[in-house]
Amino acid sequence: MGTRLLRDWTDSEPVNKLSVHAERFFTRLIMKVDDHGCFYADTRLLKANLYPLLLDTIREADLLRWMAECQKAG
């Protein structure tokens, strides 16, 4: 079993380019990815796994926008 190491990204230029919501998405995603940084890109699975208590609040369009923002920031 791998050891999960979390890196401090508070001084990361790419992360600091993100909106507050995209950074929140990124933070939640980091907690769910496997040891190789892999997870599902299916918005239904992202919503269910990253926002289980906010299912009525988070929209698929939000997730798509935040994923695109993270990808653009690198």
Side-chain angles (χ1 to χ4, degrees), residues 48-61:
N49 283 276
L50 304 185
Y51 301 94
L53 301 178
L54 298 171
L55 294 176
D56 296 334
T57 306
I58 303 298
R59 300 173 304 160
E60 182 176 339

Side-chain angles (χ1 to χ4, degrees), residues 2-56:
T3 302
R4 186 168 295 185
L5 298 174
L6 291 179
R7 189 172 77 83
D8 175 10
W9 58 76
T10 55
D11 59 353
S12 167
E13 288 293 331
V15 173
N16 282 302
K17 291 179 184 177
L18 299 175
S19 67
V20 171
H21 294 294
E23 185 175 350
R24 180 181 177 198
F25 166 80
F26 175 74
T27 302
R28 288 176 179 242
L29 182 60
I30 287 294
M31 292 188 282
K32 293 292 182 178
V33 298
D34 67 15
D35 292 335
H36 303 286
C38 297
F39 197 72
Y40 305 101
D42 185 316
T43 54
R44 296 169 301 167
L45 294 173
L46 286 167
K47 183 177 176 178
N49 283 276
L50 304 185
Y51 301 94
L53 301 178
L54 298 171
L55 294 176
D56 296 334

